[in-house]
Amino acid sequence: MLANRSALVGESLAIQDVLKTIDKISQTDSTVLITGESGVGKELVARAIHDKSARASKALVVVNCAAIPAELIEAELFGHMKGAFTGATQNRLGRFEAAHGGTIFLDEVGELPMHLQAKLLRVIQTRQFEAVGSNKTIEVDVRIISATNRDLESAVQKREFREDLYYRLNVIPVKIPSLRERKTDIPALIQHFITQFNGATGHTVEMPQGQILDALMAYDWPGNVRELENLIERLVILKGQGSVDLGDLPHRIFQKFAEGRPAGTGAMSEWEFPRMVLPTSGLDLKAIVEAFENHLVDQALARTGNNKNRASELLQMNRTTLVEKLRKRGMIQTVGSRNRMREDAAVAAGQMNDAVLLSSNANNNNNNGNNGNKNVNGNSGNTTNAINNNGANNGRNSGTGIDL
Ligand SMILES: Nc1ncnc2c1ncn2[C@@H]1O[C@H](COP(=O)(O)OP(=O)(O)OP(=O)(O)O)[C@@H](O)[C@H]1O
Ligand SMILES: [Mg+2]
């Protein structure tokens, strides 16, 4: 389902329910309280209600109660007279008056200071208030929608939020579930954001498929739709075109995907801790560990297009440690920041045979992960799962065909 920027995208029953509720309540002037975690789309829902209502041609005034200093909120909401307080050099219209005929959206209403909660209660009941420093009562015709990611019921129990105000705000509750509770919305949202950001940038990144989509579905999205939107924006900008690879995904998403895979399949076969059988004749532990390390280093380089900064991030090590390891293997001729450009040129020019070779192995691993037998073997015929120990790291490779 594609839609314009302000429309709500989603195919889950939960979002379809929210859409139906929006349709019904936009025909009324009832007060609405939208709840849900950060980034689920509370403001988008408030806008949708306003846009569908008879008030659509008038203003939708958004007030973020958490973003305005407590001492300024009253003047901000209700306006003030010249000289009402230090710095009030002229009369100022409040947000309630600015919303006359339209809708006011009180975002993060749970953060409203106690002393203003009584004043808001009166506005909800009578639509009347006075500007700061004035005795004149102002009356407005405003629809009130508020939102919070706080549990207002428990705030009421802790006496941090007025109970009477809570019931007045909560005439029509709209609860937006977290994205992890409606994962079936993820593909439609990805498609929506890919189209949106491709359109905005002129890029042509393709809709993720297969295990990339699986990985995006497996992740729990603690930042909800906003986190997904930000990721797709970043992927579109950084990739520019073509398909998204597993290596393009942030580590936290890739890891969650890998953890959820049964052992020996797909990404998990690359990620899982190897199970080695110690041969009766023993083994050269140092060489095996070194080969294993080289295998992962080379994959990180291949996956990041030889970008040592990103590769070192993937391996959770300092860049300098990575460079040192590559230098020891003869994959970098010079060290030191002075020569970094030369190093990069050397790497790009193909002194990284291991990385190139293992890059294709890494891809094969994805496809052949069910083959549980892996060899530490410099010249094994089965390159698919072999941890090759060739190139600069030779000599100590025992070639014992040890199962990993
Ligand atoms: N169902 C949806 N379809 C399309 N875009 C969405 C949807 N839900 C959220 N978004 C987008 O995700 C971003 C976050 O949404 P929004 O600002 O409405 O969330 P919020 O619940 O108000 O977050 P916060 O609590 O942090 O203020 C916005 O860019 C919004 O356009
Ligand atoms: Mg918001």
Side-chain angles (χ1 to χ4, degrees), residues 46-60:
R47 287 184 186 281
I49 296 170
H50 173 77
D51 289 347
K52 288 198 159 211
S53 76
R55 296 171 177 271
S57 61
K58 297 285 174 52
L60 168 72

Side-chain angles (χ1 to χ4, degrees), residues 22 70 73:
I22 292 172
I73 293 192

Side-chain angles (χ1 to χ4, degrees), residues 61-65 68 73 76-77 95 104-108:
V61 175
V62 178
V63 185
N64 186 334
C65 301
I68 305 170
I73 293 192
E76 193 70 33
L77 287 175
R95 305 278 187 105
I104 191 163
F105 175 47
L106 301 174
D107 202 1
E108 312 220 24

Side-chain angles (χ1 to χ4, degrees), residues 7-9 38-44 149 189 193 225-226 229:
L8 270 149
V9 175
S38 184
V40 288
K42 297 185 293 297
E43 181 163 345
L44 204 59
N149 52 28
L189 283 165
F193 292 130
V225 183
R226 181 178 291 113
E229 179 178 18

